[in-house]
Amino acid sequence: MLAFAVALWAQGGPSRTVAVLVVVETALLCLPWRLPRIHRSGRSFWVETLCGLVAPGGALIVLVVAQRDLLTQLADWWWFVAAAAVGGVFWLVSGLDIRAVPSGLLAFLMGPTPRTQGRARAVCAAAGPFGEEALFRGVVLTAASAAVTPMGLLSAVAFVARHHVSPGGNGRGTTRATLTEIAAAVLLLALTVLSQSLYPALLAHLINNLPGVIIELQREDTGKPDAS
């Protein structure tokens, strides 16, 4: 993540603001937040969750304010069909039984979670893709053509690394979870570079996160009361 921040800083301009936010967010997520999370207060959990949106949220704001032209770069319709297929590939790689999501079976097997924590995770999973695509794939479209390949590869590595910054048992240490993250980094980068637009990758990212949003809301609906 720090190498990614240095590369962003080297690009100059608005990217330097994002570079600072990447460093700030990484430092915040490395703080010794009280673990295990199940015993954390709802307010404390929300603060940690929002800290994880500092860099993506900042990158999205920079994209809207300083690099607005990227928001008008739409892809041909078939790229969105490809993006939907890529989202399905993520489900397959992760081993997710998508048929068990609507019924609530996966939520039941995972067990209840405090209501505030479930909502915080659901909000992060729903909102995160917008900022993460601006942060990790937007740089590919703003970099000079000669720097697209190295910057794109570095952003892909940073995308995977960022999912492992937060401490504690977050379910991301398994081999399958890591393979899913690597697949996402590669395929989302490929969608962005080939379509020359952020939107196909955003669609695939949202499709990937949708089951997680549903499961977290299902878990908190029958979950435990928030810790005081």
Side-chain angles (χ1 to χ4, degrees):
M1 288 301 294
L2 295 180
F4 181 55
V6 170
L8 286 171
W9 184 269
Q11 287 188 186
S15 294
R16 291 193 168 181
T17 301
V18 181
V20 172
L21 292 176
V22 168
V23 174
V24 170
E25 179 191 273
T26 303
L28 289 172
L29 293 180
C30 286
L31 291 174
W33 301 93
R34 186 163 67 87
L35 300 172
R37 287 187 172 92
I38 196 68
H39 300 308
R40 294 265 301 279
S41 68
R43 182 178 301 176
S44 172
F45 194 88
W46 264 108
V47 169
E48 181 186 356
T49 300
L50 293 177
C51 283
L53 295 176
V54 167
L60 184 59
I61 293 172
V62 168
L63 185 68
V64 171
V65 174
Q67 298 164 336
R68 194 170 300 172
D69 57 317
L70 291 182
L71 299 178
T72 64
Q73 293 180 217
L74 298 178
D76 292 317
W77 65 269
W78 60 78
W79 284 114
F80 295 96
V81 176
V86 167
V89 169
F90 295 154
W91 291 347
L92 290 174
V93 175
S94 68
L96 176 70
D97 183 358
I98 194 65
R99 294 171 298 180
V101 174
S103 67
L105 176 60
L106 290 181
F108 174 77
L109 293 175
M110 293 175 69
T113 190
R115 179 172 289 111
T116 299
Q117 294 190 19
R119 291 180 180 178
R121 281 191 288 259
V123 167
C124 186
F130 295 91
E132 289 182 349
E133 292 311 311
L135 175 60
F136 295 108
R137 259 65 68 177
V139 295
V140 177
L141 297 182
T142 57
S145 58
V148 166
T149 300
M151 191 62 187
L153 293 177
L154 181 57
S155 67
V157 173
F159 176 76
V160 176
R162 182 176 179 274
H163 288 78
H164 296 265
V165 172
S166 298
N170 50 26
R172 292 172 177 163
T174 66
T175 300
R176 172 156 259 170
T178 302
L179 288 176
T180 303
E181 292 157 7
I182 293 172
V186 172
L187 293 177
L188 293 176
L189 175 62
L191 279 174
T192 302
V193 171
L194 295 174
S195 70
Q196 285 296 290
S197 171
L198 289 174
Y199 294 107
L202 175 60
L203 175 60
H205 202 155
L206 287 169
I207 290 173
N208 174 72
N209 284 23
L210 179 59
V213 174
I214 295 172
I215 290 171
E216 290 299 341
L217 292 177
Q218 290 171 332
R219 292 177 71 195
E220 65 92 357
D221 281 344
T222 57
K224 303 174 182 178
D226 297 327
S228 59

